Amino acid sequence: DIVMTQTPLSLSVTPGQPASISCKSSQSLLHSDGKTYLYWYLQKPGQPPQVLIYEVSNRFSGVPDNFSGSGSGTDFTLKISRVEAEVVGVYYCMQTLQFPYTFGQGTKLEIK
Amino acid sequence: QVQLQESGPGLVKASETLSLTCTVSGGSINGHYWSWIRQPPGKGLEWIGYIFSSGSTNYNPSLKGRVTISVDTSKNQFSLKLSSVTAADTAVYYCARLRGSYTNWGQGTLVTVSS
């Protein structure tokens, strides 16, 4: 299985400040079709995960440009340019390159 | 806009079979891969498996052959069966389409395994 490792596991950020979450995969997520199958999700309390980013850097429909994704191969980063109350929750990375699909452990973001 | 809704019993007895259905609305189930994912209370996410609309499947080996996913294209539904459940199978179960810009998740349904 591809192991997805997120750091940090928790993050406390002052409102208005940026935040960054790292996700490393145990194998490259680059497919022979040229796409890299790495997603980022945010799960707010009591809600299902909502997709933020697909294929490393593509913002999902309706996701504000406050969120951006980058990376390649095995190293990926989610950046939040300005932390506000609406971005509080648990962030997960996920790979869909290889079965079984796997998730990172989650990073809990809270407001300081 | 495609919406997914899980349905099924919220309580299952240990050693029995958990059965859930996901109804897809606002779009056709044909031509897409449909997944089940679960999340034990307070824990992370686990992908269970998927089915293509033609019926081909792929399951997470961690569930050791207890999983069956089926599809009923006439009803625009797909289903999950998990046999020989234990307390470790207590979780919120989500159905989802995991495909880039076409990604959709249901709201999830809590299934509790009782002894």
Side-chain angles (χ1 to χ4, degrees):
Chain A
D1 297 6
I2 295 178
V3 177
M4 306 295 287
T5 303
Q6 289 182 231
T7 53
L9 298 184
S10 65
L11 203 49
S12 183
V13 181
T14 301
Q17 293 299 302
S20 178
I21 301 169
S22 170
C23 176
K24 294 184 188 296
S25 57
S26 60
Q27 303 174 34
S28 173
L29 301 184
L30 176 62
H31 192 276
S32 57
D33 66 5
K35 296 181 181 179
T36 300
Y37 290 94
L38 185 281
Y39 288 73
W40 287 100
Y41 286 91
L42 165 59
Q43 187 173 32
K44 298 180 181 180
Q47 296 185 21
Q50 56 187 87
V51 59
L52 299 173
I53 302 287
Y54 64 94
E55 293 164 18
V56 179
S57 59
N58 296 289
R59 262 190 306 275
F60 193 73
S61 176
V63 173
D65 59 9
N66 191 27
F67 294 97
S68 63
S70 63
S72 63
T74 60
D75 289 353
F76 306 95
T77 302
L78 176 72
K79 291 184 179 177
I80 306 166
S81 60
R82 191 175 56 255
V83 168
E84 301 167 341
E86 295 73 29
V87 306
V88 165
V90 180
Y91 290 80
Y92 294 95
C93 58
M94 175 191 186
Q95 67 83 20
T96 61
L97 174 73
Q98 185 183 108
F99 300 117
Y101 298 165
T102 47
F103 294 86
Q105 320 94 300
T107 296
K108 186 174 184 178
L109 174 64
E110 59 180 24
I111 298 288
K112 194 177 286 186
Chain B
Q1 182 179 348
V2 171
Q3 295 188 316
L4 290 77
Q5 180 65 59
E6 305 87 351
S7 59
L11 189 63
V12 180
K13 292 183 179 178
S15 79
E16 296 189 346
T17 296
L18 177 160
S19 295
L20 295 173
T21 295
C22 182
T23 300
V24 179
S25 60
S28 175
I29 203 168
N30 290 313
H32 295 282
Y33 293 89
W34 303 95
S35 285
W36 287 97
I37 298 135
R38 69 179 182 177
Q39 184 174 37
K43 296 188 177 181
L45 297 158
E46 180 182 33
W47 178 79
I48 297 169
Y50 80 32
I51 189 164
F52 188 62
S53 53
S54 64
S56 63
T57 55
N58 199 298
Y59 302 136
N60 194 326
S62 69
L63 292 163
K64 298 176 183 172
R66 298 191 294 129
V67 179
T68 302
I69 300 176
S70 58
V71 64
D72 186 338
T73 54
S74 67
K75 294 182 179 179
N76 238 31
Q77 294 177 334
F78 62 105
S79 298
L80 169 70
K81 290 189 186 299
L82 182 65
S83 63
S84 306
V85 296
T86 69
D89 295 310
T90 293
V92 175
Y93 286 77
Y94 296 100
C95 58
R97 179 174 62 173
L98 304 173
R99 187 191 168 196
S101 60
Y102 299 99
T103 299
N104 307 93
W105 287 59
Q107 287 298 304
T109 187
L110 174 63
V111 179
T112 302
V113 177
S114 67
S115 54

